[in-house]
Amino acid sequence: MRACAESSGSGLDQTKWHSRWCLEYDRHVSHHPSDESCAIAMQYSFMNRPGQHVEDGVMVLSKLPILHSDVLLLPRELRDPSDDHQRTVLRVQLDGSSLVGSPNALPIDVLTTHLSLSERARDLSVREISRISSCRSTYNNNEKKENRSYQPSNVQLLTGDFNAEPNEAALQYLMQASSFNGAQLNCDGLTDKDNLSPFVDTWMHARMNALRAQHPHTSHEDLQAEAERDGFTFPACSPVKRIDFILARNHSSSRALHEELSVSVLTSRIVGSKPTADTEYLVGSREGLGMLDSDSPIWASDHFGLLSELRLHYKP
């Protein structure tokens, strides 16, 4: 099972999307299914027009069947001018039964987002994402015009352009299940300690394992610093930040129904780091060359992509 990410793209007339995330799977390690059809759950954001309510748009592409999906609005920080439009999270539940040969549907939660440039808005957003990924809820299925219930899966992936580096409070909250100033998640009387497991940073987990094997006598701090540098994803022309993430967790809530399904991290790598072949010669052609310059090389995105390989574990 592979999770991949690519941030920022454009097209489709007057539409644009800021990140694209997809899942593909290998039923056996080296076997790819012949059926290339992808189920798609998406939301597009239209380019800013006067008086228009502007929402961020994200997308999930999957070769696994999509059981249901919904788009949720994230909190705003209107006093901060950098929080200049509505951010969203796309919550998709996939059926992982074909990966493990189960006759019954095995839900896998995939959430993807593009967080605000406002640090305060990001802090509010991750608390909301924790709530909606951890609590039972009811949502409206517009296509079928009916209300549907959401039950968190034991396997959850959270992906996106977080506009935050790993040491920021928002990421630390997700990866340590910590609280902001004592504020705790509450769903039906359960607090953080009762029903939250921390997310795992798949890049750091896989890269640290690889570096430890290569340099067994190097200190943890030095290896961690190297893993951070190796994982820079933005900007593509000269990356200096790691702000794109694939996070994974095995949800420990006592309310979860699918106790037999879990996930572990195998590998993670940066993709999309080279410009197009016909513009690669422009790399380093002059000092200060950036992506917005007319003589810039052309990358697939202003961010590098991230590809993580995960393994599902199933106990019938």
Side-chain angles (χ1 to χ4, degrees):
M1 176 180 182
R2 293 192 177 116
C4 60
E6 175 188 317
S7 295
S8 294
S10 61
L12 296 183
D13 192 24
Q14 292 296 308
T15 65
K16 67 175 181 178
W17 59 89
H18 297 281
S19 57
R20 182 185 68 179
W21 308 89
C22 60
L23 292 171
E24 75 177 51
Y25 67 93
D26 300 331
R27 188 164 299 164
H28 305 293
V29 174
S30 60
H31 171 72
H32 289 270
S34 58
D35 183 6
E36 294 299 324
S37 61
C38 284
I40 300 175
M42 68 182 74
Q43 178 207 8
Y44 289 118
S45 67
F46 286 84
M47 299 183 72
N48 195 0
R49 298 170 186 166
Q52 182 182 0
H53 174 75
V54 179
E55 293 182 7
D56 205 63
V58 291
M59 178 188 297
V60 169
L61 304 178
S62 176
K63 291 182 178 179
L64 298 177
I66 292 176
L67 298 175
H68 57 255
S69 66
D70 58 334
V71 176
L72 300 103
L73 303 183
L74 293 175
R76 299 290 305 274
E77 181 50 73
L78 298 177
R79 294 168 295 182
D80 188 341
S82 62
D83 188 31
D84 58 358
H85 65 275
Q86 177 67 59
R87 304 287 177 156
T88 64
V89 59
L90 174 60
R91 182 174 63 180
V92 179
Q93 203 158 65
L94 307 177
D95 181 5
S97 59
S98 62
L99 302 180
V100 294
S102 170
N104 303 314
L106 292 175
I108 298 171
D109 290 343
V110 179
L111 298 93
T112 190
T113 190
H114 182 204
L115 295 185
S116 174
L117 295 174
S118 163
E119 183 174 357
R120 173 60 178 162
R122 292 194 294 271
D123 290 349
L124 295 171
S125 292
V126 295
R127 279 185 280 183
E128 178 65 7
I129 289 171
S130 290
R131 186 188 67 81
I132 65 175
S133 63
S134 303
C135 303
R136 289 179 177 180
S137 61
T138 301
Y139 68 95
N140 182 261
N141 185 320
N142 291 324
E143 183 179 345
K144 295 184 178 181
K145 297 181 178 180
E146 62 184 14
N147 289 331
R148 299 283 297 273
S149 61
Y150 168 77
Q151 167 69 48
S153 167
N154 254 34
V155 171
Q156 296 187 323
L157 305 180
L158 173 59
T159 71
D161 172 0
F162 285 69
N163 275 316
E165 296 184 79
N167 59 350
E168 188 178 301
L171 265 298
Q172 290 300 306
Y173 177 81
L174 292 169
M175 293 189 288
Q176 296 181 5
S178 59
S179 60
F180 285 108
N181 300 321
Q184 291 185 318
L185 172 70
N186 188 302
C187 44
D188 298 331
L190 299 177
T191 64
D192 284 343
K193 293 181 180 179
D194 296 313
N195 73 327
L196 272 185
S197 295
F199 281 97
V200 172
D201 178 350
T202 60
W203 164 263
M204 184 57 68
H205 181 88
R207 187 63 183 144
M208 285 293 286
N209 284 345
L211 289 174
R212 286 192 195 99
Q214 296 168 13
H215 311 287
H217 304 297
T218 303
S219 70
H220 175 82
E221 292 74 17
D222 288 343
L223 292 179
Q224 191 169 40
E226 182 176 348
E228 284 291 346
R229 291 192 300 271
D230 293 345
F232 288 165
T233 58
F234 179 82
C237 59
S238 182
V240 294
K241 292 183 177 182
R242 190 165 75 91
I243 59 176
D244 300 279
F245 296 89
I246 297 174
L247 307 179
R249 74 172 174 182
N250 296 308
H251 197 290
S252 63
S253 170
S254 59
R255 301 288 185 94
L257 299 178
H258 311 288
E259 302 289 347
E260 68 277 7
L261 195 64
S262 62
V263 67
S264 60
V265 182
L266 297 180
T267 64
S268 188
R269 60 187 176 91
I270 301 296
V271 296
S273 59
K274 290 186 176 181
T276 59
D278 59 328
T279 64
E280 192 171 2
Y281 74 95
L282 293 170
V283 175
S285 58
R286 65 175 175 84
E287 187 176 353
L289 183 63
M291 288 183 293
L292 299 181
D293 296 321
S294 60
D295 56 341
S296 167
I298 299 175
W299 282 267
S301 167
D302 59 333
H303 295 239
F304 290 165
L306 184 62
L307 174 65
S308 292
E309 187 174 7
L310 313 172
R311 173 170 291 162
L312 281 179
H313 304 273
Y314 173 62
K315 294 181 180 179

